[in-house]
Amino acid sequence: MAGMGQATLRTRLGDRHEVRYVVRVKEGPNLGTEWAIEEGEGQRVLCGTGPLCALRITDPTVSRRHLAFSKDAAGLHVYDYGSTNGTVVNGVSVREALLVGGEEIRLGTTLLEVVATSIEAPPPASTEPRKFGRMLSVHPAMHRVFLLGEKLAASNLPYLVEGESGAGKKLYVEAVLEAGANANEPIVALEATVLPPDQIEGLLFGTTAEASKDNFERAGLFAEAGRGVLIIDGPCDLDPTLQRKLLRVLERGEYSRLGETKVEPCRARIVATSREDVDRAVELGRLREDLYQRLAATRIEIPPLRTRTGDVELLAEHVWATLSERKASLPGDVLTRLQSHTWPGNVRELEAAVQRQFTVGEAFSTTNEQPTTEGFSLGLRAYVEGGLPLVRAREELVRDFERAYVAHMLERHGGNVRRAAAAAGVAHRYFQLLKSRIT
């Protein structure tokens, strides 16, 4: 049945079958080798000479990460990864192409053939809402991600969570922690994408007052995380020196504060999150491959909201019900507008839109005004104009905000932590942790 498109195969075989793609080597050092593309919809499968490629080829004319395959309802997509010798499909050089079976792909001196076959379709995936921590979805792709998270909770290995901004990467990390043995331990994050490179090392490892530029002693994120989780958000943005030091921590399980020789054990689980193409970053030399191998013991990709049929309605109704204390339903005309939006900001943008609708009666902002210091409250102006380094000012602002916010929510809910956490939209464990920090 090679050469038949996905629609043709389904027409002939009926709904009880689905298309399966197999990639075979027709010419080259790996002649006769074949691989089935088993990954779920939207997940990319790398092909090249590199050790992390699922479809590994020993041809020296093929790049380390030469191309990637990804399947969806339309067929099998192939993407060239900026390879040295290019990717040629049926004699045409391509950067991206849609395959339906029967195509030949030339990469270096290796020739691949794509074969579309059929397998009996599994039982229909459940469309019932499922929860994982504070995450909620009706989409089968998310259900698979939740299942993998339950398995991750049973270990302490590093893992990598990929996905667009606002898709729920940090919520997923929180859910994995809550499902494991260290559920009550903290989660701390290093946001490498927004911090100045010269401040990251001290923030991560900690520093003595003598070694600090501002004479401010810090325990460091490794210490703050304890036996919980340390998130490295944006590992590709770490400078090479820091990447080497982080790799040493992962290999040895220990670290030292800046200005000290004393070695401390690293008990935290280290998790990386990224919104960019990590494979491409490794190819370009922005992320060390050995560090990537350590961080990506398991890789999870959170699908964007626009691909998760049914989740916009489910999540919008859930947020509205929480805000209204389950006394009202989201107006139908508002839901229709939400369903027609593409959500480039994903779940975070959806939640903000529903909250805006509930508060001011308009889901989508119509202003593009930029903030200025004139609009700051007197309290915020003190942090902005106080002359503190950015990291120090942010730390103090967040600490004071958390203290005021937690106190307000507890007062509003009669001191009941569980109800205060629910109203705040955070996990009970996390709210309890905030409360312990300020009391």
Side-chain angles (χ1 to χ4, degrees):
M1 295 184 183
M4 288 190 181
Q6 183 156 297
T8 305
L9 273 175
R10 282 180 173 161
T11 300
R12 289 189 56 177
L13 297 169
D15 293 336
R16 292 181 297 119
H17 290 76
E18 67 178 27
V19 181
R20 180 174 185 254
Y21 295 99
V22 176
V23 177
R24 295 174 179 166
V25 180
K26 291 187 66 176
E27 296 177 11
N30 304 99
L31 178 64
T33 303
E34 65 177 44
W35 304 272
I37 307 299
E38 303 285 4
E39 274 67 14
E41 184 174 318
Q43 294 181 307
R44 294 194 177 191
V45 182
L46 287 174
C47 176
T49 61
L52 297 181
C53 290
L55 280 58
R56 192 172 182 187
I57 295 174
T58 58
D59 184 346
T61 64
V62 173
S63 298
R64 289 174 66 79
R65 288 171 175 78
H66 198 107
L67 57 81
F69 293 104
S70 175
K71 64 181 180 180
D72 61 18
L76 184 68
H77 299 260
V78 61
Y79 309 87
D80 182 81
Y81 261 55
S83 61
T84 302
N85 292 322
T87 298
V88 179
V89 178
N90 289 347
V92 179
S93 181
V94 302
R95 292 299 301 272
E96 178 181 348
L98 175 63
L99 314 175
V100 294
E103 297 85 359
E104 292 185 340
I105 305 173
R106 172 71 65 180
L107 49 162
T109 61
T110 291
L111 182 66
L112 304 177
E113 178 188 20
V114 177
V115 180
T117 61
S118 69
I119 58 174
E120 187 171 350
S126 171
T127 57
E128 290 297 316
R130 293 187 186 178
K131 290 191 68 176
F132 184 54
R134 291 193 291 130
M135 303 183 80
L136 185 65
S137 178
V138 295
H139 198 274
M142 288 297 290
H143 293 178
R144 290 192 291 270
V145 168
F146 292 173
L147 180 61
L148 182 55
E150 293 169 358
K151 295 178 180 178
L152 283 171
S155 77
N156 200 43
L157 291 174
Y159 61 94
L160 169 66
V161 186
E162 300 170 276
E164 296 179 4
S165 179
K169 297 184 292 295
K170 292 179 181 176
L171 276 180
Y172 186 76
V173 175
E174 178 184 291
V176 172
L177 177 65
E178 290 181 344
N182 295 331
N184 294 320
E185 296 294 334
I187 295 177
V188 297
L190 173 72
E191 297 183 3
T193 56
V194 299
L195 290 172
D198 61 343
Q199 296 182 12
I200 292 179
E201 186 174 3
L203 181 63
L204 182 61
F205 292 94
T207 179
T208 62
E210 294 76 13
S212 173
K213 292 182 180 179
D214 56 7
N215 293 320
F216 184 66
E217 182 172 330
R218 292 184 179 87
L221 295 180
F222 281 120
E224 288 184 23
R227 296 183 181 276
V229 172
L230 169 59
I231 300 175
I232 306 293
D233 184 29
C236 305
D237 292 303
L238 298 175
D239 67 44
T241 300
L242 193 54
Q243 287 189 32
R244 186 177 66 252
K245 291 185 176 182
L246 180 58
L247 175 64
R248 190 176 300 126
V249 175
L250 287 164
E251 290 175 337
R252 300 179 181 178
E254 58 187 29
Y255 69 96
S256 297
R257 288 202 307 170
L258 299 186
E260 285 188 345
T261 58
K262 180 183 176 183
V263 173
E264 300 286 348
C266 175
R267 299 183 175 89
R269 185 177 196 173
I270 298 177
V271 175
T273 58
S274 180
R275 65 187 66 131
E276 65 174 300
D277 187 337
V278 179
D279 296 299
R280 184 64 175 160
V282 175
E283 185 73 24
L284 296 174
R286 292 182 52 224
L287 180 64
R288 292 175 62 114
E289 185 156 348
D290 48 6
L291 177 58
Y292 168 78
Q293 290 174 341
R294 287 281 182 172
L295 291 173
T298 300
R299 295 178 66 170
I300 303 95
E301 185 172 354
I302 308 295
L305 182 59
R306 62 182 172 275
T307 68
R308 291 154 46 182
T309 305
D311 274 5
V312 170
E313 178 179 355
L314 174 71
L315 295 173
E317 292 280 13
H318 174 73
V319 174
W320 186 272
T322 301
L323 292 171
S324 67
E325 297 181 345
R326 307 197 177 277
K327 295 177 181 178
S329 297
L330 186 66
D333 60 326
V334 176
L335 184 58
T336 299
R337 292 182 62 198
L338 297 177
Q339 289 171 321
S340 65
H341 191 57
T342 57
W343 302 110
N346 291 289
V347 177
R348 183 186 298 130
E349 182 187 4
L350 173 63
E351 290 179 342
V354 176
Q355 290 167 353
R356 191 182 303 116
Q357 178 70 38
F358 184 82
T359 305
V360 300
E362 180 56 58
F364 299 99
S365 176
T366 57
T367 177
N368 292 316
E369 295 179 1
Q370 298 297 315
T372 66
T373 56
E374 294 180 1
F376 290 158
S377 66
L378 291 177
L380 183 57
R381 186 184 298 276
Y383 298 100
V384 174
E385 300 177 355
L388 293 173
L390 174 64
V391 173
R392 177 87 177 275
R394 181 190 291 117
E395 288 174 349
E396 295 199 4
L397 173 60
V398 170
R399 180 200 62 205
D400 291 346
F401 166 75
E402 289 178 347
R403 178 182 291 111
Y405 184 85
V406 170
H408 170 73
M409 295 304 286
L410 286 172
E411 180 180 1
R412 180 178 174 185
H413 294 277
N416 188 299
V417 174
R418 190 170 298 278
R419 287 203 301 267
V426 300
H428 173 262
R429 176 196 60 79
Y430 182 66
F431 194 91
Q432 187 67 55
L433 175 64
L434 291 179
K435 181 174 178 290
S436 67
R437 287 178 179 172
I438 64 174
T439 56

